[in-house]
Amino acid sequence: MTTTAPGPTTTASMAIVPPSRVQRIGADLARSVLPVLLALITSGLIMLAMGTNPLDFFAGVWTYGITGDNWQRSLVLMAPLLIVALGLIVAFRGQLWNLGYNGQYLLGALVASGGGPVLFAVMPAWLATLIIFIAAVALGAVWSLVPAILKARYGTNEIITSLVMSFIAIGVVNLAIKGPLKDPNTPMPQTRVIPDDQLLPYIPGTEIHIGFIIALLLAVLAQFVLSRTSFGLRLDVFGASPKAARHVGINSTWMVILIFALSSGIIAFAGAIDILGQYSYQRANWNPAYGAAILPFVFLARLSPVGSIPLVAFYAVLATGGTLATQQAGLNVDFLLVIVGLILIFMTITEYIGDRRRLGQSYLPPGLRRTLTRPFARDGRTTS
């Protein structure tokens, strides 16, 4: 009997069949939705233990977050949340931890609240708005230079430096509002109020400002740039391995600076949008802390700008309706942060149980994930 030595066909037949596209989408969807469901169930059990009816709370979230005209308030809140999420996605795709989001957001808000009353008084509203947006993005980008350069040149942990720069930014913003930018006509430490007719216009027939449309367009644009352009490819390669990126000609120093500048500038832009969209002024010691709240949903979206839209919408409804629902249920408003924390915990548990050997890889962009998990030949090249 003649036997045939194992060849490429035999080896291929013995290989593990990769999951189909439908299976991958289903697995990613399950890992995105399951942590949220488990967090809601667990938070309901906590409320029961505290003597509160969870059904009343969740009914309140629905009532105050969606019914009537409340859905419009949720979409208004969604605008800055989505833009902050996009800024975080840019940094995380490059495997950089930009945790200075609070300071960057407040700096962008300060540009709008402090510069708005001056600019709107001397030039057309559209031109003043454009200048404010450009200045906010520029200030956010410049503020990120310290952690970016320290990371790029000396390998300093960007988590620490970005947090320190955030604390400094918060202090600078408060000093500016209590000092040169304070409204002299009010005893409260706040900036002057921008007239309503100078704020961002509403979408016709609604009370939703056009910042919501801008946020959606930015998400679509970011999705295209990150998945269909050479910059997106370089960003993913750099995020996977800075050493490999240097071998293919990517300047790691400038890449770190560029990623930080884009991330911080986008987050600062969210602050300007929020002031010109709904607040019209800024008070000292005010900090909505959008970044910390939206952080889990960025990872649940698998760092996808478009994929983050429904998850950010979910949190916008939870935050809008939950503020009144917690009061109605006799809970502290900080209970919403408990729900966000539970989502983060269950996200970690689900990811660990789902695939222990490739922990975290499901959050990578699909193309990059396939490259990293593709088997290697003996000469070091990936096999098809």
Side-chain angles (χ1 to χ4, degrees):
M1 181 180 296
T2 303
T3 59
T4 304
T9 305
T10 307
T11 303
S13 64
M14 296 174 62
I16 298 176
V17 179
S20 65
R21 179 180 178 85
V22 175
Q23 290 174 323
R24 289 196 303 268
I25 293 176
D28 289 347
L29 184 62
R31 291 185 180 184
S32 297
V33 175
L34 188 58
V36 177
L37 293 178
L38 292 175
L40 293 178
I41 293 172
T42 304
S43 62
L45 296 176
I46 294 174
M47 282 185 275
L48 282 175
M50 297 173 62
T52 300
N53 188 343
L55 296 180
D56 291 340
F57 170 77
F58 291 124
V61 171
W62 176 268
T63 300
Y64 300 122
I66 295 181
T67 60
D69 291 333
N70 291 322
W71 63 273
Q72 298 188 46
R73 294 172 53 239
S74 297
L75 293 186
V76 170
L77 175 61
M78 184 180 168
L81 287 174
L82 182 57
I83 298 175
V84 170
L86 296 178
L88 294 177
I89 286 172
V90 170
F92 295 155
R93 290 277 285 247
Q95 296 297 307
L96 294 175
W97 287 86
N98 177 16
L99 299 188
Y101 37 71
N102 288 332
Q104 295 153 11
Y105 168 90
L106 291 176
L107 286 173
L110 184 68
V111 171
S113 62
V118 177
L119 294 176
F120 287 122
V122 297
M123 62 181 64
W126 68 269
L127 181 58
T129 301
L130 181 61
I131 292 175
I132 288 171
F133 285 164
I134 294 174
V137 173
L139 180 57
V142 169
W143 199 262
S144 72
L145 287 178
V146 172
I149 293 175
L150 290 176
K151 173 68 174 181
R153 297 297 299 274
Y154 306 105
T156 307
N157 191 317
E158 73 275 15
I159 295 177
I160 298 174
T161 54
S162 62
L163 283 173
V164 170
M165 292 302 295
S166 179
F167 293 144
I168 296 174
I170 293 172
V172 169
V173 168
N174 288 330
L175 288 174
I177 294 175
K178 294 176 181 179
L181 297 182
K182 182 182 181 300
D183 185 356
N185 299 317
T186 177
M188 294 292 296
Q190 68 177 49
T191 62
R192 285 181 290 171
V193 178
I194 301 173
D196 290 343
D197 60 349
Q198 306 295 332
L199 298 177
L200 294 177
Y202 291 139
I203 299 173
T206 72
E207 294 183 357
I208 306 169
H209 60 79
I210 63 170
F212 173 71
I213 300 297
I214 295 174
L216 292 179
L217 292 176
L218 276 178
V220 174
L221 177 62
Q223 185 72 36
F224 174 80
V225 170
L226 294 178
S227 61
R228 292 290 185 269
T229 67
S230 60
F231 171 75
L233 178 60
R234 292 197 301 269
L235 179 63
D236 288 341
V237 171
F238 178 81
S241 174
K243 291 183 179 180
R246 284 194 293 269
H247 283 301
V248 296
I250 297 176
N251 188 315
S252 59
T253 298
W254 285 109
M255 198 67 182
V256 170
I257 294 174
L258 179 59
I259 292 172
F260 254 106
L262 286 175
S263 175
S264 303
I266 292 172
I267 295 174
F269 179 64
I273 282 280
D274 221 10
I275 293 296
L276 296 184
Q278 62 170 332
Y279 286 113
S280 74
Y281 68 96
Q282 186 176 358
R283 284 184 175 174
N285 302 316
W286 170 73
N287 184 5
Y290 290 148
I294 211 67
L295 196 62
F297 302 99
V298 168
F299 288 104
L300 287 176
R302 275 32 188 182
L303 304 182
S304 167
V306 171
S308 67
I309 293 176
L311 292 166
V312 172
F314 165 79
Y315 177 74
V317 172
L318 178 65
T320 302
T323 301
L324 293 176
T326 51
Q327 298 175 5
Q328 190 178 52
L331 299 169
N332 190 288
V333 70
D334 290 336
F335 189 78
L336 297 177
L337 295 179
V338 174
I339 298 177
V340 173
L342 289 171
I343 292 174
L344 187 59
I345 291 173
F346 283 113
M347 179 186 72
T348 305
I349 295 174
T350 303
E351 179 67 13
Y352 178 74
I353 295 176
D355 195 342
R356 299 181 185 181
R357 292 181 301 172
R358 294 196 294 269
L359 180 61
Q361 288 189 8
S362 70
Y363 296 109
L364 296 174
L368 183 58
R369 191 193 321 164
R370 287 193 296 270
T371 301
L372 292 178
T373 57
R374 189 176 297 164
F376 279 79
R378 289 185 178 181
D379 61 358
R381 295 176 298 177
T382 57
T383 60
S384 57

